Amino acid sequence: MDPTSQGSANRLNVLAACSAFTSLLIGVVVMLGWMLGDTALTQFFTPRSAMQPLTAASAILLGASVLSANARRIRLAAATALLAAAIAAQSLAEHVLHLDFGTDLLLFPRAVAAQPVRYAYPGRMAEPTAASFLLIAVAVLLAFRRGRRASLILTACATAVLMLVTVALLSHLYAVAPLNGVLGFTQVAVPTALALGAGAVGTLALRPNAGWLGLLVGSSVAATAARWLVPTVAIVPAGVGWLASRGSDVGLYPVDFRLAFTTALTVILLVALALWGTRQLDKLLTVRRATEALRESEATLRAFFETEGLLASIVELRGDDARYLTANRALSRLYGHEDVSGLSIRDVQPPETAAAFLQRLTISRGSGVPTSLERSIDAAGGVRWFTVTISPIAGSPPDAPRFATAALDITDRKRAESQQQLLLLELNHRVKNTLAVVQSLAQQTFRGDQASPAARRAFDARLAAVAAAHHQLVRQDWRAASINVLVADVVGPGCGANAERFDIAGPDVMLPPRTAVSLALALHELCTNAVKYGALSNDTGRVDVSWTLVGASPDRLRLIWQESGGPPVTVPSARGFGSRLIERALAAELEAPVELSFQPDGVRCVIETIFADAAVSES
């Protein structure tokens, strides 16, 4: 059962107990009145009729029956209900069959015979009273029966009794004489009507999930509106009728005008009540929607607070210290507490981390925007890493700003990054060792007359260019290499030239590993050729190296190597190793065109490459 339904059921249980106790108390008071000969107690200060002794006994039995039913004492409830029904049934039989079973004067015969009000049958309960007790007894017996039919019969019996009680009370209010004939109605005493009404309400409350009474005690918008409207709807017509009756009695208008006056006034008042009720219903709906939205927001926040792996808190900054207003269990347990709410930051965190955390709070307070940091904490299982986000809470007091903090455990990621870095360093070390072995093998191979020193130096320089490209990739976790850094490492001093004779320009593009290594080797060949034969072979020549991103897609790079100011260039009769490397091997490796032209004013090389996930940063 949800909390709302449970609350309604509890309220109905209390209502059933109070109603049953009221019926029982009225019966006891009237019994005392008969014992003491006090008519005020038997009539409840209304001289028109009194509650008879058997009726009072039935009211006591009725109250005991409903109390027992509410306490789930089914047998006792059934026994007392049947006993009350037997008393009422024999009285009703006496009226219908015009018999006298001698039971009317079983209790207090002298007091009954001496009462000031004269009855055709002294001590006998009226027909409506007997019928009402029978109906309530049937309802109590059905209280523990399952099924929709039992609920409908119970509700119908109790509602019928309430209608009879309403007529009885209004007959006293309007001083109406008993009605004779086919639809005759013998007047019911005030205490009897009150006891029957309480018993009927208590019986309705025995079935919390059935009947209209559950609506009145519920927590829905309709229940709230009903609690406003039902009493008013019940009181307004009764009050209007009483005023109309008093008006005709004092001669303000004739008796036959009273019906029209009563109807018109009742219509006006009920229409006004309906309009007022509609307005109040709109207000209730607005409040209910706001309440539901707040409840959903709180549930969402609570679910967020208890997210697995999340350390969340609300902190309040006061002066040079801060305290936790609330925190989830994960954060509290991290610092060895059941709950850190209300504790100071300095009391919870180690001094060095507390100082850094307070500094971040101050920064976030000044900027008004969230701030993030990574921090490590010495926990029981070792060092743990967290990424912490601190967000200012809008609307918090200026002298005590509040912040929402959320920390995610990134220990596994940090360990993986550390392991990856170790692997990359090991890879770099092994690559260098491999290149050293290759260089040693080359020296052994080129020993003696097999190669000139120049060839050896060229081989070593090419290996150095490849090693420089590898070094750049290792620094970027083998993900990419900066073209600016790569060009600066390869050209100029990298090939034995003066770096001041180069004009280098272009955006800072991060090259994939495959492109970086190939481009480094090609630039080295171009630079070496320029030092030997081209623009860098004299004192006046220069080299312009530039690159741009071209085309509709940002992953297309065009690099231009342009020499100028060097000796006149002639087209070589045969392609050397460097030219073949650039025109064939590089083009095949990059899967893009490479144009190498020997123009009279200087060598020009245009390299285009297409690669995915190019990263460009503004420098």
Side-chain angles (χ1 to χ4, degrees):
M1 183 180 294
D2 60 89
T4 301
S5 300
Q6 183 64 45
S8 298
N10 291 337
R11 287 190 288 271
L12 284 174
N13 288 335
V14 173
L15 180 61
C18 292
S19 300
F21 182 76
T22 299
S23 177
L24 190 150
L25 181 62
I26 290 174
V28 171
V29 169
V30 171
M31 278 293 193
L32 288 175
W34 286 111
M35 292 174 62
L36 301 174
D38 188 347
T39 57
L41 295 179
T42 62
Q43 298 175 346
F44 275 26
F45 308 100
T46 55
R48 302 189 63 189
S49 59
M51 186 178 192
Q52 301 303 310
L54 283 180
T55 307
S58 298
I60 294 173
L61 291 172
L62 172 63
S65 177
V66 177
L67 278 175
S68 301
N70 191 52
R72 298 297 185 269
R73 297 180 178 178
I74 302 175
R75 293 184 179 180
L76 181 59
T80 50
L82 289 173
L83 187 55
I87 296 174
Q90 65 88 27
S91 296
L92 193 60
E94 287 180 323
H95 283 292
V96 174
L97 301 176
H98 302 289
L99 298 174
D100 185 0
F101 297 144
T103 56
D104 300 337
L105 300 176
L106 282 177
L107 300 174
F108 314 108
R110 293 183 180 180
V112 171
Q115 59 185 319
V117 179
R118 296 298 176 183
Y119 297 97
Y121 306 102
R124 184 180 300 179
M125 66 177 67
E127 298 98 317
T129 302
S132 297
F133 276 118
L134 284 174
L135 290 173
I136 294 178
V138 172
V140 172
L141 293 174
L142 291 173
F144 300 102
R145 297 290 298 273
R146 296 181 179 179
R148 179 177 175 81
R149 180 178 299 177
S151 297
L152 290 176
I153 296 175
L154 183 150
T155 303
C157 291
T159 304
V161 172
L162 288 176
M163 292 177 61
L164 291 172
V165 168
T166 303
V167 173
L169 292 176
L170 289 178
S171 69
H172 285 282
L173 179 64
Y174 299 154
V176 176
L179 181 64
N180 297 318
V182 178
L183 298 176
F185 184 84
T186 303
Q187 197 170 62
V188 178
V190 170
T192 303
L194 295 176
L196 288 171
V201 171
T203 305
L204 283 172
L206 292 177
R207 295 294 288 262
N209 298 323
W212 49 265
L213 190 61
L215 176 63
L216 291 177
V217 299
S219 57
S220 65
V221 174
T224 305
R227 285 194 291 270
W228 288 352
L229 296 175
V230 169
T232 308
V233 170
I235 294 171
V236 166
V240 170
W242 182 82
L243 289 174
S245 177
R246 297 287 77 79
S248 63
D249 290 343
V250 299
L252 292 178
Y253 40 76
V255 176
D256 54 359
F257 179 75
R258 184 166 63 188
L259 179 61
F261 174 78
T262 303
T263 303
L265 188 58
T266 301
V267 168
I268 292 173
L269 290 175
L270 291 180
V271 168
L273 178 64
L275 295 175
W276 175 83
T278 303
R279 183 181 182 87
Q280 297 304 315
L281 186 60
D282 285 340
K283 292 182 179 179
L284 280 173
L285 288 173
T286 302
V287 173
R288 177 54 57 86
R289 292 191 188 102
T291 303
E292 291 177 351
L294 179 61
R295 187 181 297 113
E296 291 177 359
S297 178
E298 291 177 348
T300 302
L301 179 61
R302 179 54 54 191
F304 168 76
F305 252 54
E306 300 304 330
T307 299
E308 183 70 23
L310 176 70
L311 282 67
S313 68
I314 303 295
V315 299
E316 184 180 69
L317 181 63
R318 286 186 176 272
D320 61 348
D321 200 359
R323 66 187 180 94
Y324 289 101
L325 295 181
T326 183
N328 66 354
R329 287 176 292 180
L331 187 144
S332 299
R333 292 174 180 174
L334 176 68
Y335 293 111
H337 294 268
E338 283 298 321
D339 188 6
V340 299
S341 300
L343 298 180
S344 167
I345 298 293
R346 300 183 189 275
D347 295 335
V348 175
Q349 299 187 21
E352 60 277 4
T353 59
F357 186 75
L358 290 171
Q359 183 180 10
R360 286 286 183 164
L361 289 179
T362 305
I363 294 174
S364 183
R365 176 186 185 180
S367 63
V369 297
T371 181
S372 299
L373 71 153
E374 289 186 358
R375 59 184 300 184
S376 61
I377 296 176
D378 292 330
V383 177
R384 295 175 62 185
W385 280 88
F386 297 90
T387 177
V388 185
T389 300
I390 302 173
S391 303
I393 299 178
S396 56
D399 57 337
R402 296 177 178 180
F403 304 84
T405 71
L408 286 174
D409 193 331
I410 57 171
T411 305
D412 292 340
R413 193 192 79 186
K414 281 290 186 179
R415 290 173 179 169
E417 289 177 352
S418 177
Q419 183 69 17
Q420 183 184 36
Q421 188 65 29
L422 288 175
L423 292 175
L424 287 173
L425 291 175
E426 179 66 19
L427 175 63
N428 186 41
H429 179 69
R430 290 176 181 271
V431 168
K432 287 183 177 180
N433 289 341
T434 301
L435 292 176
V437 171
V438 172
Q439 190 175 25
S440 177
L441 291 174
Q443 291 175 354
Q444 294 295 325
T445 303
F446 297 151
R447 185 172 54 185
D449 298 334
Q450 299 182 31
S452 65
R456 295 176 183 175
R457 288 195 298 273
F459 183 79
D460 291 342
R462 286 164 181 158
L463 284 180
V466 174
H470 275 260
H471 180 67
Q472 290 299 322
L473 290 170
V474 169
R475 290 173 59 184
Q476 296 294 329
D477 297 337
W478 205 259
R479 293 191 299 268
S482 168
I483 189 173
N484 281 344
V485 178
L486 185 70
V487 172
D489 285 347
V490 173
V491 303
C495 60
N498 191 343
E500 295 180 354
R501 300 178 67 178
F502 284 86
D503 295 317
I504 300 174
D508 191 7
V509 178
M510 303 302 294
L511 299 175
R514 176 182 175 185
T515 304
V517 174
S518 300
L519 189 59
L521 196 56
L523 290 173
H524 174 76
E525 294 299 328
L526 288 170
C527 185
T528 301
N529 184 73
V531 170
K532 289 182 177 181
Y533 314 108
L536 301 180
S537 63
N538 62 15
D539 297 331
T540 59
R542 299 189 64 82
V543 177
D544 180 78
V545 183
S546 62
W547 60 90
T548 57
L549 295 173
V550 297
S553 177
D555 57 4
R556 187 179 186 88
L557 177 72
R558 174 182 290 170
L559 184 142
I560 300 176
W561 174 285
Q562 180 66 60
E563 300 180 17
S564 62
V569 177
T570 59
V571 180
S573 58
R575 300 296 195 190
F577 173 77
S579 299
R580 293 196 304 274
L581 175 68
I582 295 172
E583 291 181 311
R584 300 177 185 176
L586 180 62
E589 182 71 16
L590 299 180
E591 298 179 355
V594 176
E595 176 187 348
L596 179 62
S597 58
F598 296 89
Q599 301 175 1
D601 55 346
V603 173
R604 177 183 176 86
C605 182
V606 180
I607 302 172
E608 287 194 7
T609 179
I610 301 174
F611 53 91
D613 300 327
V616 182
S617 62
E618 296 294 337
S619 58

